[in-house]
Amino acid sequence: MKKKLCLIFCIVSCILMMAGCSLSLTKTNKNFNKKTLETNADSFVTSWFSYDFESAVKSMKEQSTEVDEDTVNQYKESIQLKKKYGKQGTKVDTDFTISSDSATVVETYTTSSGKKLIFSVTYDEKGQTSSWKVEEYKSLGEIATISRGGNFQKKDFCDSGVPCIHYGQIYTKYGLFADETITFITEECAKKQKFAKTNDIIMAVTSENIEDVCKCLAWLGNEDVAVSGHSAIISHNQNPKYLVYYFHSQMFFAQKRKLAHGTKVIEVTPDTLKSIELPVPPLEVQREIVHILDSFTLLTAELTAELTAELTARKKQYEFYRDKLLTSNRNIKTVKLGDVCTFVRGPFGGALKKEIFTTEGYAVYEQQHAIYRNLDFRYYIDKNKFSELKRFAVNPGDMIVSCSGTIGKTFVIPPNAPKGVINQALLKLTPNEELNVFYLQYFFENTISKVLNGVARGGAIKNVPSVSELKLIELPLPSLTVQKKLVNVLDNFESICTDLNIGLPAEIEARQKQYEYYRDLLLTFAETGSMLMTDRQTDRQTDRQTDRQT
């Protein structure tokens, strides 16, 4: 799978050759000298900007012979483009697609208006101009109509009826595309709603953060679907998948950031989306882009699933060996926990009331410190209260244990921890000189926490058994040297399995970033004038890439 993914990335790298690069994928025609082709294309662009298309159209209409309507329409489009974009500016890129019987030169210019135009000139096997076209960036408002969603809420959902999509589901329940819904509303409720049709884009325009706002999906179902409020319905005449991929790119993110407003709730007003600019290549090119990105998405998802499964297997393997390492055998003595640790349960709740807390002083250690293993504090007490609760004070090397709700989570107090006391939801263990505290921590989370959760008492919120019962739990006690070695082995294994910067999690993250990089690179082809290979050309390139790798 990894080889397959790397192969398609290699192919796309070839597809997406940027400034100064070219594609030559078949036997070269002697008429297709790139320098000559570029010179001819330069001359064409200069002529296009200086040519009097209006007079040419008038002259063609005055002719008595039959007029080529396609040529007339192309000239009329050129008239409008020249009015819109102004005079010829600076060429920013040139790219080539060359085969045995044709060659296309694509040049991108920044015009005097500051906007870009893309010129594609195709030459036949004799080196003569056979066709040309001019493409432009367009605003979303030019290619789509944008409307707001309806007003139904989650309470309006029913088991069956009219299919509907709530804006919140776009964040949590759907991917980039959908052809069926997971919720419905009644026909009566649907009468007052707004609907998206097949191929429409449904975009959530309200979120808690800038990253998620404007997340969207393409509706590919056969029937209309009701859309909730806080959404925009984008109806268009383009490839829906192409637009959705673009709306998830960095190019779109940079534009939506300028449109977003709000602090706690981030919103992009649907009407402002009309100003979004995007490259609009021909539909056949959009299809090629979608085909490649669909392959990316599938391969990345497959690879991520495989790596995740591998990570899960590694964790199970880790747990197996951890259990083995921490299981007693006949050659190792066994002791009761109370013989090698002192236990202190947190004070009664009344000893630490909020009215006695101060903004600084001695820290109050809470349940969260054991669960999340951090040193972020909300509450403090003064010196007098600390002296009163000195029995509950923590010191570096102590281990605190969560005792209520989430039971059995542990945290070893580090050397840099501030002085403080535990609250009523914690248990403090202080090991003696025979016991390595980190060995104790591993044993506690592997064995004792299972015991605690198995016998925990309480109703909605469970609590651990009494301290006297915990002291009777037995643990194997090898020498301190062996304990340290076991801790080192388990530390390394745990890091490999869980650290995002090591092993498989890093690989999963890297593959996702690689996918996003090539997606954005592919969607910027119009900015650089890069061309896409045809399926036949891609197949030949794939064959050559495969040959080199095998």
Side-chain angles (χ1 to χ4, degrees):
M1 176 57 66
K2 289 175 69 176
K3 182 177 180 181
K4 188 161 54 173
L5 187 64
C6 291
L7 176 58
I8 196 168
F9 285 151
C10 289
I11 295 169
V12 174
S13 295
C14 294
I15 294 174
L16 296 168
M17 289 180 179
M18 292 301 174
C21 298
S22 64
L23 297 174
S24 182
L25 303 175
T26 60
K27 182 186 264 182
T28 305
N29 187 305
K30 63 181 180 180
N31 291 316
F32 298 152
N33 176 280
K34 283 188 280 188
K35 185 174 182 180
T36 302
L37 289 172
E38 182 174 4
T39 299
N40 292 341
D42 290 345
S43 299
F44 170 83
V45 173
T46 300
S47 298
W48 185 88
F49 275 101
S50 61
Y51 191 69
D52 188 351
F53 286 102
E54 291 182 341
S55 296
V57 170
K58 184 178 180 181
S59 176
M60 283 189 286
K61 288 184 176 180
E62 290 174 350
Q63 292 178 359
S64 57
T65 56
E66 186 175 344
V67 176
D68 184 346
E69 290 297 332
D70 289 339
T71 301
V72 171
N73 290 335
Q74 189 177 35
Y75 280 23
K76 286 182 176 179
E77 289 176 3
S78 295
I79 293 169
Q80 296 304 316
L81 288 174
K82 288 175 67 174
K83 289 180 179 179
K84 181 178 179 180
Y85 286 87
K87 298 179 180 180
Q88 181 177 357
T90 305
K91 182 171 67 174
V92 295
D93 190 77
T94 302
D95 200 36
F96 306 85
T97 300
I98 302 175
S99 67
S100 60
D101 55 2
S102 66
T104 299
V105 183
V106 180
E107 296 189 335
T108 304
Y109 280 79
T110 300
T111 64
S112 61
S113 67
K115 297 182 179 180
K116 293 177 182 176
L117 278 178
I118 306 163
F119 295 84
S120 301
V121 187
T122 301
Y123 300 93
D124 61 23
E125 58 186 1
K126 296 180 180 179
Q128 302 297 314
T129 303
S130 61
S131 65
W132 59 272
K133 60 184 176 181
V134 184
E135 297 170 356
E136 61 177 330
Y137 269 76
K138 293 184 179 179
S139 67
L140 189 57
E142 292 179 89
I143 62 170
T145 57
I146 304 172
S147 58
R148 293 175 179 268
N151 58 9
F152 70 84
Q153 300 176 22
K154 290 181 180 179
K155 66 181 182 180
D156 297 316
F157 291 165
C158 58
D159 293 335
S160 62
V162 178
C164 67
I165 294 178
H166 187 272
Y167 84 98
Q169 296 172 331
I170 298 175
Y171 299 120
T172 59
K173 302 294 185 182
Y174 291 100
L176 301 181
F177 321 111
D179 55 13
E180 58 183 24
T181 68
I182 57 176
T183 50
F184 304 88
I185 55 176
T186 63
E187 292 188 3
E188 184 64 27
C189 179
K191 292 178 181 179
K192 307 172 185 177
Q193 304 307 320
K194 301 291 181 65
F195 285 81
K197 299 182 179 297
T198 303
N199 293 335
D200 283 354
I201 309 298
I202 304 172
M203 180 178 288
V205 294
T206 299
S207 175
E208 294 179 355
N209 57 71
I210 187 65
E211 287 76 21
D212 287 338
V213 72
C214 290
K215 187 176 181 183
C216 62
L217 62 87
W219 173 245
L220 304 179
N222 294 323
E223 57 182 325
D224 295 353
V225 59
V227 179
S228 77
H230 301 290
S231 303
I233 303 171
I234 303 174
S235 304
H236 56 90
N237 57 1
Q238 305 298 310
N239 186 304
K241 285 190 169 184
Y242 171 79
L243 291 180
V244 166
Y245 279 127
Y246 185 82
F247 290 146
H248 286 82
S249 70
Q250 285 299 313
M251 295 79 72
F252 175 71
F253 182 88
Q255 295 187 71
K256 79 172 182 182
R257 181 186 288 277
K258 298 176 182 178
L259 302 178
H261 57 88
T263 51
K264 291 185 178 180
V265 177
I266 308 299
E267 182 179 6
V268 173
T269 307
D271 285 345
T272 64
L273 289 169
K274 295 177 181 179
S275 65
I276 293 292
E277 289 191 339
L278 68 162
V280 185
L283 288 174
E284 61 270 19
V285 176
Q286 292 184 32
R287 281 193 294 270
E288 288 293 331
I289 292 174
V290 167
H291 174 71
I292 294 169
L293 289 177
D294 280 350
S295 298
F296 277 6
T297 304
L298 177 61
L299 289 170
T300 302
E302 288 178 357
L303 182 60
T304 299
E306 290 180 4
L307 291 172
T308 302
E310 178 67 16
L311 179 59
T312 301
R314 289 277 185 90
K315 287 181 177 179
K316 288 183 178 179
Q317 185 183 38
Y318 158 71
E319 291 169 0
F320 172 80
Y321 283 109
R322 180 193 63 192
D323 293 351
K324 282 288 185 183
L325 289 169
L326 296 173
T327 300
S328 178
N329 61 56
R330 295 178 182 178
N331 298 323
I332 299 177
K333 70 174 182 178
T334 300
V335 299
K336 293 179 181 179
L337 203 55
D339 293 335
V340 289
C341 287
T342 57
F343 286 71
V344 176
R345 186 67 189 267
F348 289 111
L352 287 171
K353 294 181 178 180
K354 285 190 176 182
E355 53 262 30
I356 70 168
F357 292 148
T358 59
T359 56
E360 58 183 17
Y362 295 86
V364 176
Y365 285 79
E366 302 178 79
Q367 181 103 326
Q368 62 169 342
H369 297 107
I371 296 173
Y372 301 110
R373 297 184 177 181
N374 63 36
L375 293 173
D376 300 327
F377 296 94
R378 297 188 299 169
Y379 306 120
Y380 297 86
I381 56 176
D382 60 24
K383 186 175 181 179
N384 291 334
K385 194 66 180 178
F386 178 74
S387 297
E388 180 185 328
L389 299 173
K390 197 169 185 178
R391 177 170 177 265
F392 306 101
V394 296
N395 297 290
D398 288 345
M399 186 177 79
I400 58 174
V401 184
S402 59
C403 296
S404 179
T406 303
I407 295 174
K409 294 298 182 180
T410 64
F411 179 44
V412 175
I413 305 301
N416 64 331
K419 289 185 177 181
V421 296
I422 57 174
N423 73 356
Q424 70 277 7
L426 292 176
L427 171 68
K428 181 185 71 165
L429 278 72
T430 305
N432 67 15
E433 65 279 357
E434 294 183 78
L435 182 60
N436 182 300
V437 67
F438 296 104
Y439 174 78
L440 171 64
Q441 185 178 40
Y442 274 118
F443 184 81
F444 206 99
E445 293 208 334
N446 170 57
T447 302
I448 301 178
S449 65
K450 295 177 183 177
V451 174
L452 295 182
N453 283 283
V455 301
R457 304 183 179 116
I461 299 178
K462 294 183 177 182
N463 294 278
V464 298
S466 66
V467 168
S468 59
E469 291 175 278
L470 292 175
K471 288 182 177 181
L472 298 177
I473 294 175
E474 295 185 339
L475 80 157
L477 190 69
S479 67
L480 283 172
T481 301
V482 173
Q483 291 179 45
K484 186 175 181 180
K485 288 181 179 179
L486 289 173
V487 168
N488 288 337
V489 170
L490 292 171
D491 280 349
N492 290 334
F493 209 162
E494 188 175 56
S495 294
I496 291 172
C497 291
T498 60
D499 193 331
L500 289 176
N501 297 315
I502 299 176
L504 292 173
E507 181 71 11
I508 293 171
E509 185 179 9
R511 292 293 152 237
Q512 183 62 31
K513 287 182 177 179
Q514 192 176 33
Y515 160 72
E516 293 171 357
Y517 170 78
Y518 280 104
R519 177 199 64 198
D520 289 354
L521 196 59
L522 186 59
L523 290 169
T524 59
F525 83 98
E527 295 185 21
T528 64
S530 298
M531 291 296 287
L532 287 171
M533 292 183 286
T534 63
D535 287 337
R536 182 164 52 90
Q537 292 168 329
T538 303
D539 292 340
R540 284 196 292 271
Q541 181 70 10
T542 303
D543 293 339
R544 282 198 291 276
Q545 292 284 353
T546 304
D547 290 341
R548 285 197 289 269
Q549 293 189 14
T550 55

